[in-house]
Amino acid sequence: MSAPPTTRPTGKASARRPAVDRHTAERLASTEYARVADLLGRLTHEQWAAPTDCPGWDVRAMAGHVLGMMQMVASKRELVRQQLTSTRHAKRDKGLMIDALTALQVRQNADLTTDELVAEIRRLTPRAVTGRIRLPELLRRQTMNDEEDGWWTFAYLMDVILTRDPFMHRVDISRAAGEPLELTAEHDGVLVDDVAREWAGRHGAPFVLELTGPAGGRWQEGEGGEELSLDAVEFCRVLSGRAPGEGLLATRVPF
């Protein structure tokens, strides 16, 4: 697969936009939420308490965050509430808004039983997907300044980031719990392809990338560049900052 031309948003006018079409984004979101629920539904009490790659979060806390994100996009009222509350807490604590937001989500779902949490993920999936994909076009074109990555359109947040987030947390949970990770070319391969193409655009250098596993593939741009070969899931873990990366693999991609 050839990588796209380099795209490096530097402000509102060039804020990052989704590369996947709306229909694909809807399909990926629905499938990812279902796979998260299926994985959580298999876990034992001990597995729910396992520590994850995200400092301070066990599987239970991570699942509370995933549900909290779904609750946020499934209801405009909840979206406003979470945004206002987390912004206020971030200012009070002099921290990042995203950290305040995820902490809020973990807290608000802490009293659910694990069965209730899984059931809520399943129940909210249609509403969360609808809330994301059917965001009015005027709002999709609006921009936001991510505290760590620069300018995004709301379309990029809704269509891309909010599916990458549960995908990566599904990886986190499977590793923590020692459970098999369901991977297919039709779903995970599409997610990884989008990540690889965005990574290529972010660094803009020639390369050859070989990713192994069901979600893998081959990407190349130019001649004489860095040659990389690794597992597709590990590639995403490196770009997300969960594992060390050198050279072109030091280029981060948001999840």
Side-chain angles (χ1 to χ4, degrees), residues 128-226:
V129 172
T130 297
R132 288 170 49 186
I133 303 303
R134 298 185 184 176
L135 190 72
E137 193 59 38
L138 180 63
L139 293 178
R140 288 175 61 83
R141 292 196 299 267
Q142 296 300 307
T143 58
M144 59 176 285
N145 190 5
D146 179 74
E147 293 163 306
E148 297 181 330
D149 191 55
W151 290 96
W152 296 351
T153 61
F154 276 91
Y156 176 75
L157 172 67
M158 294 294 175
D159 293 2
V160 177
I161 296 299
L162 292 184
T163 297
R164 286 183 189 170
D165 182 66
F167 163 75
M168 185 51 62
H169 289 320
R170 181 161 59 92
V171 172
D172 295 332
I173 292 167
S174 72
R175 286 170 53 84
E179 284 290 313
L181 181 65
E182 183 179 1
L183 295 170
T184 62
E186 296 77 15
H187 175 69
D188 308 273
V190 176
L191 287 173
V192 172
D193 176 65
D194 185 51
V195 170
R197 290 172 180 272
E198 183 175 320
W199 166 79
R202 283 172 177 266
H203 64 67
F207 70 94
V208 176
L209 175 66
E210 296 270 2
L211 298 181
T212 59
R218 185 180 189 277
W219 296 259
Q220 180 173 358
E221 181 68 25
E223 300 291 338
E226 195 171 335

Side-chain angles (χ1 to χ4, degrees), residues 29-49:
S30 296
T31 301
E32 190 54 48
Y33 287 147
R35 289 190 179 184
V36 169
D38 289 344
L39 173 59
L40 292 173
R42 299 197 303 267
L43 301 185
T44 65
H45 176 74
E46 291 75 17
Q47 288 172 314
W48 278 96

Side-chain angles (χ1 to χ4, degrees), residues 2-23:
S2 296
T6 301
T7 55
R8 293 176 179 166
T10 56
K12 289 184 179 182
S14 53
R16 197 166 293 280
R17 292 167 172 77
V20 296
D21 62 75
R22 194 89 66 94
H23 175 74

